[in-house]
Amino acid sequence: MPDTATPDSTGLPEAASYEPTERTVPTRAKERASYDEATVHSILDAAYLCHLGFVRDGAPVVLPTLFGRIGRRLYVHGSTGSRPLRTTRASDPGLAVCLTVTHVDGLVLARSAFHHSMNYRSVVVHGIATTVTDPEERRLALDAIVDQVVPGRSKDSRPADAKELAATAVIRLDLDEVSAKIRTGGPNDDPADLSLPYWAGVVPVARGYAAPVPSDDLDPSVQVPDYLDAL
Amino acid sequence: MPDTATPDSTGLPEAASYEPTERTVPTRAKERASYDEATVHSILDAAYLCHLGFVRDGAPVVLPTLFGRIGRRLYVHGSTGSRPLRTTRASDPGLAVCLTVTHVDGLVLARSAFHHSMNYRSVVVHGIATTVTDPEERRLALDAIVDQVVPGRSKDSRPADAKELAATAVIRLDLDEVSAKIRTGGPNDDPADLSLPYWAGVVPVARGYAAPVPSDDLDPSVQVPDYLDAL
């Protein structure tokens, strides 16, 4: 999805790059790190699932969850009864989180076991997650989470009613301390290993969608929408 | 991969189920949780990427990394110079981690925005990660990590030499406090929404591999190995 189509909800012009911080500069493979905003946003926008980490009772917890992006803000949602969202709400002024998105693009097979690797694109966001209370921002966030999975879907479904909204917690994480990491290319075998009799190269990996399966109870007159063909 | 083929490295007979704990029993959708060992292992074995969470300076960190399973033990590896592994090594008796594996199997589109969901299989492991120092266990763990990505590959590559082994940290996380979570099936729309004019159903999602791409410098006499066809 082209990033230029997404207005920055803060109203400020988007800068070209995020500011590196101590914890977003890797100790190794620094050449794989990027703070370029368009790069970060495109990796996020190619995903809908993230892994959200937070600390509970001193121990880390990592849960898979959906997210949506609006400009320099990420949103996740959940039941008001769920443990992570209760934890967020109970925290004042917010909950320290780490939100990570990863795409695997290829298996990198080297002659040496040591140089086996993956081609991937990942984004790691550090920050303080806060509960969103503004009704309009909550509504936009929930639409963004649905549209992150299937662009265009939020306008083609029944919006949440008052009872559903009351049962849904929305939390926001500003994109501020964020970095991308990308590996591409083939294996980096040692020169002495190049003549070994082992296959070396890359097995490309990609996400695939199969044909949509309608619900058993779907009115047969409802056609598969165009936006599903675009996935 | 059938789990029965994997011997339990502890030498004990494998029990049928993991013991639920306070933090592995979800507060919601309890019917999606499973502690069945075969279920947990099959979800892990269908993956090679995990998201590893730990706490650094009081804040959560979530990083994507490869893992391998041997019986009731998981292993991850990394450079001895990398920050997470330095953190593990510096911790005595170990580092509290949460290791999460997630497969997305389908996008679940309901008539209502509220009932949109995902079909997925996930495993969450809580525990204390410890550095592996035993040379034989380190070797088996490194093979397991390679074979988790491409079964059979470790025997068809050059094993790590002394210098490479010295540069590689291996950490272990015992499968003890672990649960699986699975959602399958179609959308759960409210009865009143069934006649709304919105498409409802599931878009199946699967990981796909493209044809292996050999390295430019690969000796043309080296054929694509059979184990890549089996992916």
Side-chain angles (χ1 to χ4, degrees):
Chain A
M1 280 163 280
D3 194 60
T4 48
T6 309
D8 182 350
S9 64
T10 63
L12 298 169
E14 299 199 24
S17 184
Y18 289 101
E19 196 66 36
T21 70
E22 188 273 337
R23 58 182 175 181
T24 65
V25 175
T27 43
R28 293 179 53 254
K30 286 189 172 57
E31 73 286 358
R32 294 183 188 168
S34 168
Y35 308 93
D36 175 64
E37 184 182 68
T39 301
V40 167
H41 291 190
S42 74
I43 292 171
L44 291 169
D45 290 352
Y48 40 77
L49 185 83
C50 66
H51 282 81
L52 183 70
F54 56 98
V55 180
R56 190 168 60 212
D57 300 333
V61 180
V62 179
L63 297 178
T65 192
L66 298 175
F67 74 95
R69 181 179 75 83
I70 301 177
R72 284 189 161 205
R73 294 173 172 179
L74 298 185
Y75 294 95
V76 304
H77 73 332
S79 161
T80 52
S82 76
R83 202 152 35 186
L85 291 162
R86 285 208 315 261
T87 308
T88 311
R89 215 164 50 249
S91 303
D92 187 10
L95 180 71
V97 299
C98 181
L99 185 154
T100 300
V101 165
T102 309
H103 304 276
V104 174
D105 296 324
L107 316 179
V108 180
L109 278 65
R111 284 87 166 175
S112 61
F114 184 77
H115 282 296
H116 278 62
S117 188
M118 311 285 292
N119 284 335
Y120 65 91
R121 291 162 291 145
S122 66
V123 163
V124 176
V125 186
H126 300 275
I128 304 294
T130 54
T131 302
V132 180
T133 54
D134 178 74
E136 181 60 14
E137 185 177 0
R138 279 167 50 83
R139 212 174 280 275
L140 290 171
L142 293 173
D143 283 353
I145 294 167
V146 168
D147 288 335
Q148 189 88 20
V149 183
V150 180
R153 176 67 182 179
S154 71
K155 288 192 168 50
D156 191 40
S157 56
R158 175 178 68 68
D161 61 25
K163 190 181 162 193
E164 291 167 345
L165 285 169
T168 305
V170 176
I171 70 172
R172 185 175 94 202
L173 175 62
D174 290 344
L175 288 173
D176 181 24
E177 191 168 359
V178 53
S179 60
K181 218 169 160 187
I182 299 174
R183 189 203 188 278
T184 58
N188 297 321
D189 267 309
D190 297 335
D193 289 336
L194 293 181
S195 59
L196 291 177
Y198 306 122
W199 189 89
V202 175
V203 182
V205 180
R207 183 173 62 196
Y209 294 103
V213 180
S215 284
D216 293 340
D217 52 12
L218 184 68
D219 181 333
S221 71
V222 179
Q223 301 293 312
V224 174
D226 290 344
Y227 52 75
L228 288 186
D229 292 332
L231 287 179
Chain B
M1 283 162 279
D3 193 61
T4 48
T6 310
D8 182 349
S9 64
T10 63
L12 298 170
E14 298 200 23
S17 184
Y18 289 101
E19 196 67 37
T21 70
E22 189 274 337
R23 57 184 176 181
T24 65
V25 175
T27 44
R28 292 179 54 256
K30 286 188 172 56
E31 72 287 357
R32 294 184 189 168
S34 169
Y35 309 92
D36 175 65
E37 184 183 68
T39 301
V40 167
H41 291 189
S42 74
I43 292 171
L44 291 169
D45 289 353
Y48 39 77
L49 184 84
C50 67
H51 282 81
L52 184 70
F54 56 97
V55 180
R56 190 169 58 212
D57 300 333
V61 180
V62 178
L63 298 178
T65 191
L66 298 175
F67 74 95
R69 181 179 75 83
I70 300 177
R72 285 188 161 206
R73 294 174 172 177
L74 298 185
Y75 295 95
V76 305
H77 73 331
S79 161
T80 52
S82 77
R83 201 152 34 183
L85 292 162
R86 286 208 313 259
T87 308
T88 310
R89 214 164 49 249
S91 303
D92 187 8
L95 181 71
V97 299
C98 181
L99 185 154
T100 300
V101 166
T102 309
H103 303 277
V104 174
D105 296 323
L107 316 179
V108 181
L109 279 65
R111 283 87 167 175
S112 60
F114 184 76
H115 283 296
H116 277 64
S117 188
M118 311 287 290
N119 284 336
Y120 65 92
R121 290 162 292 145
S122 66
V123 163
V124 176
V125 187
H126 300 275
I128 305 295
T130 54
T131 302
V132 180
T133 54
D134 177 74
E136 181 59 14
E137 186 177 359
R138 279 166 50 83
R139 212 174 279 276
L140 290 171
L142 293 172
D143 284 352
I145 294 167
V146 168
D147 288 334
Q148 188 87 19
V149 183
V150 180
R153 176 66 181 179
S154 71
K155 289 194 167 48
D156 192 40
S157 55
R158 176 178 66 70
D161 62 24
K163 188 179 164 195
E164 291 166 344
L165 284 170
T168 305
V170 176
I171 70 171
R172 185 176 94 203
L173 175 61
D174 289 344
L175 289 173
D176 181 22
E177 191 168 1
V178 53
S179 60
K181 218 168 160 188
I182 300 174
R183 189 202 189 277
T184 58
N188 297 321
D189 267 308
D190 297 335
D193 288 336
L194 293 181
S195 58
L196 291 176
Y198 306 123
W199 189 88
V202 175
V203 182
V205 180
R207 183 174 62 197
Y209 294 103
V213 180
S215 284
D216 293 340
D217 53 12
L218 183 68
D219 180 333
S221 72
V222 179
Q223 300 296 311
V224 174
D226 290 342
Y227 52 75
L228 288 185
D229 292 331
L231 287 179

